[in-house]
Amino acid sequence: MFVIIMGCGRLGAQLAVMLEDQGHEVTILDLDKYAFDHLPPGFKGRKFLGDGTDQDTLRRAGAERADAFISATRGDNRNALAAQVAKHVFHIKRVGSVIFDPIREEVYRELGLSTINPTRIEASLLMEAVMKAPVD
């Protein structure tokens, strides 16, 4: 499967490595060339400098043949916009987006985006870890 990831922070880089390890073709794009430093030296996927909300950038990154698109920047609005472009302009079948704000995440999900909300996930995991921690 050919996957495009927008955002090469820790999350995007980790995701890129995991997908590559499973044999997928990965292109990861970011506005900041130094963001690619999050990738390990052995990463063989394509690194692409550009704005993932821009149609021309996505076209040059290969969106017209992409099987999946994931927006994983720190910006909820950028992630939602890029996911919408991937889904409705390039008709990419599998589109996922990270949305940090729980309220926005619900709104975007109701608009048909596949989203995850790290804030809720992390809060649940932290609460569980604290509640299950042994007490001396």
Side-chain angles (χ1 to χ4, degrees):
M1 185 180 331
F2 173 44
V3 182
I4 297 175
I5 301 169
M6 179 182 88
C8 194
R10 289 184 180 95
L11 174 62
Q14 180 64 38
L15 187 57
V17 169
M18 291 168 63
L19 287 164
E20 185 178 72
D21 286 349
Q22 290 185 1
H24 299 288
E25 178 185 358
V26 178
T27 289
I28 187 161
L29 59 100
D30 203 291
L31 290 168
D32 179 2
K33 67 179 180 182
Y34 296 108
F36 299 121
D37 291 346
H38 289 107
L39 293 165
F43 178 72
K44 293 181 176 51
R46 186 170 167 219
K47 302 170 196 166
F48 198 92
L49 193 61
D51 183 354
T53 64
D54 178 70
Q55 291 181 32
D56 290 334
T57 299
L58 288 174
R59 191 169 287 110
R60 283 186 273 119
E64 292 170 328
R65 69 175 188 89
D67 300 300
F69 178 86
I70 299 166
S71 52
T73 73
R74 299 291 301 171
D76 288 352
N77 292 334
R78 294 195 68 228
N79 288 340
L81 175 59
Q84 292 282 15
V85 170
K87 183 175 181 176
H88 297 293
V89 174
F90 292 100
H91 306 289
I92 299 173
K93 301 273 189 243
R94 298 172 189 212
V95 176
S97 183
V98 173
I99 304 293
F100 290 90
D101 182 330
I103 295 170
R104 286 184 185 170
E105 194 252 348
E106 287 181 27
V107 171
Y108 291 135
R109 191 171 348 119
E110 289 172 6
L111 293 173
L113 290 180
S114 294
T115 60
I116 67 154
N117 181 265
T119 306
R120 280 197 182 124
I121 294 168
E122 291 170 0
S124 294
L125 291 173
L126 281 170
M127 186 172 79
E128 183 179 320
V130 167
M131 295 302 175
K132 288 184 177 179
V135 179
D136 294 330

